[in-house]
Amino acid sequence: MDRWILERERELTRLAAAAREAAAGAGSVALVFGEAGIGKSSLVKAMPERLPGQARMLVGQCDDLATRRPLGPFRDLVGSVGADLARAVMEGGDRHRVYEALHAELAGTPHPAVLVVEDVHWADEGSLDALRFLVRRMEGLPALLVLTYRDDELSREHPLRHLLGQVSRTSRVHRLPLARLSLDAVRALSAARRLDAAQVYEVTSGNPFFVAEIVAAGGTGGVPPTVVDAVMARLRGLDPATVDALEQLAVVPSAVERPLVDALFKGGVAVLAAAEQRGLLTVVPERVAFRHELIRRAVLDSLPAARRIDLNRCVLAALVARPGSDAARIVHHADQAGDQDAIARYGPDAAKDAACAGAHREAAAQLRLVLRQRHRYGPADLADLLERYAVESYTIADSAAAVTAQREAVALRRALGDTLGLGADLRWLSRIHWWAGDADQAQDAAREAVAVLEHAGDDRLLALAVSNTAQLRMLSDRYTEAVEHGERAIALARKADDAAILSHALNNVGTARWRGGDPGGRRQLEESLEVALAAGEVEHACRSYANLIWTLLDNLRYDEADLFLPPAMDLADRAEHLGFLNYLHVELAVRRLAAADWEDAEKHAEYGMHDFVPARCPALTVLARVRIRCGRPGAAELLAEAREIAVRTRELQRTGPVAAALAEAAWLRGDLAAVTAAAGPVHAQADRLPGVPYRAELGYWLTRAGHTVRLDDSEHPYALQARGLWHEAATRWLEAGCPYEHAVALAESPDPADKLTALATLDALGAEPRARLLRTELRGIGVRHIPRGPLAATRENPAGLTRRQLQVMRLLADGLTNAEIAARLVVSVRTVDNHVRAVLDKLDAPTRRHAVARAARLGLLAEGEGTLPEAEGPLPLSET
């Protein structure tokens, strides 16, 4: 092993084991992280000798460019991968082609493929999207994906956070934080130069790069106080031409390909020989790179600003003179050199390349640079650039920037008298305002868009503007107006023969009719989906799926929603439409909340915890309701943010669930005034509308707070409970598959036996606040033998059982069969079979009886639990 790779045996062993597992078909992701200089790259360089003999190792590097190279780390693979992937990443315009080529490359022989992406904290958005695609598929690939990054450079808003969150939700992930070297390791490295190891350790704190550089510097005049000093010490004695060459290379924040080296240095790589011998550079026939990124930074930081500008001008001139140079690199060096003409000339193309590659953050960054030179463009060109910047900002959820840019574009179109451009931009402005959660501004822009396009002679643009108005009316529960505008948009879309707009309009009309109480609207919504799928309009198909599923969930038709969720999520996943994929995960979270699968509900809700307001609001609400029902802290803060978002949207689909959650929380803590304050105003709004599911729930909470409300005569179970029909409500909740709501309805029975049954379910679900209230009720009516609640030791869960597995374990201890457990938890028997197997596995128990005994010893069972009746013969396999 390289003498600098000390104290990394554990990490290398784990990576080697992961590669062997990948060769057998069990792919995984490895995260290698730590501070700058901790040895991530050195670890990667040491990997090949540990990998299985047939392994292919592919290494791509992310660069510290001001605006990143689209698909930069994958472009580094060209020459080491097949022609399909090489062409896909170099052409870059079809990102789905890139994804499929990456997948095929990793699936190809020989096995395993080990793909390393270094310094992924510098990755462009297109590369992050490609990695998200791979992460979701690694378990089925004979490959290992290794991502290295600096964890101390990740702010809360850093783009890498989303990818890391996704990795954390996979079942096969290896986390390898790299620690600093110990004093013993520093002593071993310092011994050859007879340095004072304690002094080296004190100065470096064991950072491997710092140690290596100080040891390499020799320490003849004492230990250099900084790494820059250490690097500069190694430059002393080099001839001026070599130092000049190193300084020239230092302004290029990536490996420098051979043609660029030859363009920068008349003698080619020969001038770099001395620097290579000193260990400062790595030189191969294809490229030249600094041995450590921190060496490059140290050289760069030592340069005066004037020198850096001049060196960047040299790189810029060389890149511009070479046909096919990457526009992003040209703009980076133009920016560093202060060449505004070059930024204005090449920036729009760099932004276009980035957008085509799916690197929307980089596209927005390029356009920000370009727009600093807005005086160089005419009004029409400037309006185009502003539109592009608004769209890119909208795509990356920078709503403030999107609104500002689109407003400027609208003003320019208005001044130019460009009627069609103005109408199209106003429609976009409306959409961007809605995305930002500003309902009033969205409505204003929508109205003007239709007015401008009404007689402009473009049926397609008018259809889109009218359909946009229909969508806003539908979202704000103005169903009659939504249908009126939507039907006009349908006619215009058919006339223009535009399937995308037709699907959009059918969606709005169908959703408005269905949510307004007309079941026939569902057929139009399904037609919207069919039109979009037939035309390959993924965004419109995803939106149709989303509205179908949401309306089914609102109407408690969970079994039907379950039929639509998998194909919807698969479509959004395959198309990498992350906005809709996250939204569909939130819908699945709502579904799992209804099934009282708290852990799964939280897992899927986390996908919505981003800046996309339509997903974030319900995600916050689901997370809050889990905490409310389980008695965990933090619900109030989540609901405060959700309410703020909901109020701004002015949409009952947002305000209704938030109000219901606030009312439930208030009722559980006995604050009836807060129940009224939360539910009253929103119920008054819902009560004026037809077919609104929130009216029943909010009305129920108001009756629980002692108010008399106009009773909803529907068969919604909350409406039944409000009318005192607890038995009918409990039956409907049971049929819908909602165990928590079923138990709450059953608890309203005057019969103590029903209340005790409800208590058993609430305990099994971990619904402590409601169970605590029910115990108080039972004591109040004189019931003497009330089961104790779960012990604190149970909640600590030393066996590592999930919440659902813990519920199943408790019911096993009560002697219930799998079928009885399924009936109690309102899930399928197959689901219980799987949970029982998982419980037996985690408790290392051969039978149910052994599992109960071990759970009792671990303190997982309440007092009195822990015995199973003797079986009258062998149990079926799922019961063993």
Side-chain angles (χ1 to χ4, degrees):
M1 186 184 294
D2 189 301
R3 69 190 185 98
W4 301 112
I5 309 298
L6 296 180
E7 300 183 335
R8 296 293 184 255
E9 184 64 29
R10 182 184 69 87
E11 291 81 4
L12 287 167
T13 299
R14 284 191 65 185
L15 290 168
R20 288 193 296 272
E21 292 168 0
S28 58
V29 181
L31 302 177
V32 178
F33 54 94
E35 65 188 3
I38 201 66
K40 299 179 290 295
S41 295
S42 297
L43 184 75
V44 169
K45 290 173 184 175
M47 283 178 61
E49 64 186 64
R50 297 300 193 91
L51 297 177
Q54 73 276 23
R56 292 182 298 140
M57 187 159 166
L58 307 170
V59 181
Q61 176 72 50
C62 302
D63 303 316
D64 188 19
L65 290 163
T67 49
R68 319 297 191 208
R69 288 185 301 153
L71 300 175
F74 303 109
R75 294 187 180 192
D76 287 348
L77 305 181
V78 174
S80 305
V81 295
D84 287 347
L85 178 55
R87 281 194 297 269
V89 298
M90 292 309 295
E91 293 172 8
D94 186 347
R95 58 178 175 165
H96 302 300
R97 178 185 169 201
V98 172
Y99 302 163
E100 295 302 330
L102 272 170
H103 188 277
E105 185 70 34
L106 297 185
T109 54
H111 300 157
V114 179
L115 172 58
V116 181
V117 180
E118 290 208 70
D119 293 325
V120 72
H121 52 279
W122 289 329
D124 66 284
E125 188 178 5
S127 296
L128 290 174
D129 283 346
L131 290 172
R132 280 190 281 266
F133 174 89
L134 288 179
V135 163
R136 287 195 292 275
R137 293 160 176 80
M138 286 308 298
E139 293 179 28
L141 284 171
L144 171 64
L145 174 62
V146 181
L147 306 177
T148 77
Y149 62 95
R150 298 180 186 174
D151 60 331
D152 58 346
E153 294 193 7
L154 301 186
S155 64
R156 183 177 179 182
E157 297 78 21
H158 196 288
L160 181 57
R161 289 285 187 193
H162 188 196
L163 174 63
L164 296 179
Q166 184 177 328
V167 172
S168 72
R169 290 187 285 268
T170 64
S171 59
R172 295 186 55 77
V173 56
H174 315 278
R175 292 177 176 81
L176 303 176
L178 299 186
R180 294 179 177 182
L181 299 178
S182 67
L183 177 58
D184 287 342
V186 173
R187 185 175 291 114
L189 294 173
S190 304
R193 292 298 186 98
R194 297 182 178 180
L195 299 178
D196 183 337
Q199 187 181 21
V200 174
Y201 185 77
E202 181 181 358
V203 171
T204 64
S205 299
N207 180 289
F209 171 71
F210 295 171
V211 173
E213 293 309 307
I214 288 174
V215 171
T220 55
V223 179
T226 66
V227 174
V228 173
D229 289 340
V231 173
M232 291 301 103
R234 297 177 70 178
L235 265 61
R236 284 197 291 270
L238 292 175
D239 63 84
T242 302
V243 174
D244 286 346
L246 283 170
E247 292 177 350
Q248 179 66 81
L249 292 175
V251 302
V252 184
S254 60
V256 185
E257 64 274 23
R258 182 61 180 274
L260 182 55
V261 172
D262 292 341
L264 291 172
F265 310 123
K266 291 182 179 180
V269 294
V271 71
L272 305 173
E276 182 186 14
Q277 290 171 344
R278 291 271 180 108
L280 295 166
L281 296 176
T282 299
V283 179
V284 297
E286 297 83 11
R287 60 181 63 86
V288 173
F290 282 92
R291 188 166 64 85
H292 287 291
E293 166 63 14
L294 291 182
I295 296 177
R296 184 190 74 81
R297 286 193 171 191
V299 174
L300 182 64
D301 290 346
S302 72
L303 300 176
R307 175 74 170 145
R308 287 200 299 270
I309 291 170
D310 187 54
L311 293 171
N312 274 289
R313 286 187 184 279
C314 292
V315 179
L316 175 62
L319 289 172
V320 168
R322 284 176 53 207
S325 288
D326 190 325
R329 295 181 71 186
I330 291 175
V331 173
H332 169 80
H333 290 288
D335 184 40
Q336 296 298 307
D339 190 330
Q340 307 304 329
D341 289 335
I343 292 173
R345 179 178 177 186
Y346 294 98
D349 287 341
K352 182 179 179 181
D353 291 346
C356 289
H360 297 288
R361 287 187 181 86
E362 286 64 43
Q366 298 285 9
L367 288 165
R368 270 195 297 274
L369 278 176
V370 168
L371 288 169
R372 291 176 188 171
Q373 312 302 317
R374 61 182 62 207
H375 60 279
R376 298 172 184 269
Y377 303 95
D381 290 337
L382 179 57
D384 288 340
L385 289 170
L386 286 164
E387 289 167 12
R388 289 172 57 187
Y389 179 52
V391 171
E392 296 303 330
S393 299
Y394 161 86
T395 304
I396 64 174
D398 186 352
S399 299
V403 168
T404 299
Q406 193 63 19
R407 280 177 169 167
E408 289 186 59
V410 165
L412 284 169
R413 296 297 186 199
R414 205 186 300 278
L416 286 167
D418 181 355
T419 302
L420 294 179
L422 175 60
D425 277 354
L426 284 165
R427 200 281 308 177
W428 251 117
L429 181 59
S430 173
R431 175 66 175 171
I432 291 170
H433 275 309
W434 179 82
W435 190 276
D438 195 332
D440 292 341
Q441 295 280 4
Q443 297 280 6
D444 290 343
R447 277 192 293 271
E448 188 180 359
V450 173
V452 167
L453 293 169
E454 191 70 66
H455 304 293
D458 189 315
D459 286 338
R460 182 185 171 281
L461 285 179
L462 179 58
L464 188 54
V466 173
S467 190
N468 176 69
T469 299
Q471 180 183 14
L472 293 174
R473 297 294 192 273
M474 177 269 291
L475 290 168
S476 58
D477 305 297
R478 295 156 67 177
Y479 300 133
T480 301
E481 295 175 46
V483 171
E484 178 185 341
H485 287 286
E487 287 180 342
R488 184 185 178 202
I490 290 170
L492 288 166
R494 293 190 192 280
K495 182 179 178 183
D497 194 25
D498 191 305
I501 301 175
L502 176 61
S503 172
H504 190 273
L506 286 167
N507 189 331
N508 299 326
V509 173
T511 305
R513 289 178 57 201
W514 193 7
R515 295 183 73 82
D518 179 358
R522 176 174 180 173
R523 181 66 203 110
Q524 273 183 300
L525 188 46
E526 290 175 338
E527 183 185 354
S528 164
L529 176 61
E530 293 162 5
V531 169
L533 290 173
E537 293 286 349
V538 173
E539 179 176 3
H540 293 289
C542 288
R543 181 169 167 262
S544 298
Y545 270 128
N547 282 348
L548 266 168
I549 293 163
W550 197 271
T551 310
L552 288 168
L553 294 174
D554 275 349
N555 286 287
L556 312 184
R557 297 164 80 164
Y558 299 113
D559 288 344
E560 293 179 66
D562 289 341
L563 299 176
F564 286 103
L565 275 163
M569 299 181 78
D570 182 62
L571 175 65
D573 189 11
R574 283 188 288 106
E576 288 294 301
H577 210 306
L578 297 179
F580 273 112
L581 181 60
N582 290 340
Y583 194 79
L584 289 163
H585 271 290
V586 174
E587 291 188 321
L588 182 53
V590 173
R591 170 68 182 101
R592 300 319 302 157
L593 176 69
D597 190 341
W598 316 127
E599 186 175 30
D600 217 33
E602 288 183 306
K603 180 181 76 173
H604 290 288
E606 288 291 343
Y607 281 87
M609 293 298 286
H610 300 287
D611 292 332
F612 176 36
V613 169
R616 186 173 179 85
C617 184
L620 288 163
T621 308
V622 169
L623 291 171
R625 274 205 127 142
V626 170
R627 284 160 175 73
I628 290 166
R629 293 179 177 184
C630 294
R632 303 203 323 256
E637 294 81 3
L638 294 170
L639 284 178
E641 183 183 348
R643 186 177 184 279
E644 181 180 351
I645 295 171
V647 168
R648 286 183 59 215
T649 67
R650 298 183 185 277
E651 294 174 7
L652 197 57
Q653 65 170 335
R654 309 292 174 223
T655 59
V658 173
L662 286 166
E664 181 178 5
W667 188 82
L668 286 171
R669 65 176 184 266
D671 189 344
L672 301 187
V675 172
T676 303
V682 184
H683 177 265
Q685 180 187 357
D687 200 35
R688 295 192 293 269
L689 298 169
V692 177
Y694 315 117
R695 177 177 60 242
E697 183 174 6
L698 294 170
Y700 165 74
W701 287 117
L702 287 171
T703 61
R704 297 292 284 172
H707 290 270
T708 301
V709 299
R710 184 176 69 86
L711 293 178
D712 191 321
D713 60 1
S714 73
E715 294 301 303
H716 191 289
Y718 273 128
L720 294 172
Q721 284 177 260
R723 301 201 300 270
L725 302 175
W726 63 267
H727 183 270
E728 292 85 341
T731 300
R732 288 189 176 274
W733 285 126
L734 187 64
E735 292 170 348
C738 302
Y740 178 84
E741 288 82 357
H742 169 253
V744 169
L746 197 61
E748 293 172 5
S749 166
D751 187 342
D754 289 330
K755 292 182 182 292
L756 288 168
T757 301
L759 181 61
T761 299
L762 293 169
D763 281 343
L765 295 174
E768 296 176 47
R770 187 64 186 89
R772 187 168 56 250
L773 291 178
L774 186 51
R775 283 187 167 84
T776 301
E777 290 179 43
L778 286 164
R779 285 192 291 270
I781 60 176
V783 177
R784 297 183 60 185
H785 299 292
I786 303 171
R788 293 180 59 183
L791 300 176
T794 304
R795 292 192 290 272
E796 292 170 4
N797 192 8
L801 302 182
T802 68
R803 288 177 179 275
R804 181 62 96 185
Q805 289 162 2
L806 198 54
Q807 295 162 12
V808 169
M809 182 67 254
R810 293 174 187 167
L811 297 175
L812 285 177
D814 288 339
L816 274 65
T817 67
N818 288 14
E820 290 168 337
I821 294 172
R824 177 72 63 85
L825 297 181
V826 200
V827 297
S828 70
V829 175
R830 177 173 295 181
T831 296
V832 174
D833 290 345
N834 292 334
H835 285 314
V836 170
R837 289 190 179 93
V839 167
L840 297 184
D841 181 59
K842 288 185 177 182
L843 291 172
D844 193 23
T847 68
R848 292 153 62 96
R849 186 168 288 102
H850 284 89
V852 170
R854 291 177 185 178
R857 286 198 298 272
L858 289 170
L860 296 176
L861 305 178
E863 184 178 335
E865 294 178 335
T867 59
L868 280 173
E870 293 296 327
E872 298 178 359
L875 292 169
L877 178 62
S878 63
E879 300 290 340
T880 60

